[in-house]
Amino acid sequence: PRAYLALPAGTDANQVRRDVREKLRAENVWIESVASREARAGRIIENVERFLSLVGFVIVVLGGIGVWSVTRVFVRQKIKSVAILKCLGASTAQVLSTYVAQVAILGLAGGATGVLLAWFAMRMIPPSLVASFGGVTYGVTASAVIQGVAVGVLVSLLFALVPLLEVRRVKPMLLLRGGDTGQP
């Protein structure tokens, strides 16, 4: 059974709670005030926020590993093209900057796609659910869009950089050699 108490104005709720807890210690009674319930709800929300932040971080790392893997395969497929470009007079810096620019554009497209998916997911939240939280306002802000796109580009560049640096080791002489070109 539950019992709710309405205390007169000016009464110290914490003192009443301590007094009742002391008198009913042997009865195994749970006493909570509105303030303690709000504090507990706040802690729960903070824990959920931390968990979702950790999940987001894991997703970013897994996406980065995917970018690294795809870039590594892409560079291995383009070794002959890099050798041809170097034979035609392109410097390593020019070739590398071309591929870095391609990764940046793909990261920009990926970040924009992620922002669009987030916007669409937020539009799918039922109004009744929003009303149950007291009509909280939510939406995709400009700072969130900028952060999402920036993270997409940054993760793409950081995880693609190591495989892209393999381009530096490709020599124009590779075209004259026959055989395996799988390794730069």
Side-chain angles (χ1 to χ4, degrees), residues 5 12 23 29 63-64 66 90 132 148 168:
L5 299 175
D12 183 13
K23 289 178 184 175
V29 174
S132 70
R168 295 180 307 171

Side-chain angles (χ1 to χ4, degrees), residues 116-137:
L116 284 174
L117 287 173
W119 177 82
F120 182 71
M122 291 178 81
R123 302 298 280 167
M124 298 303 294
I125 297 173
S128 60
L129 182 62
V130 175
S132 70
F133 284 103
V136 188
T137 58

Side-chain angles (χ1 to χ4, degrees), residues 54-91:
L54 181 62
V55 168
F57 178 73
V58 168
I59 289 171
V60 166
V61 169
L62 289 175
I65 291 170
V67 167
W68 172 81
S69 177
V70 167
T71 305
R72 196 182 89 221
V73 170
F74 176 76
V75 167
R76 286 188 177 171
Q77 290 176 348
K78 297 296 179 182
I79 289 177
K80 281 193 175 185
S81 298
V82 170
I84 290 170
L85 289 172
K86 286 186 175 184
C87 281
L88 295 174
S91 68

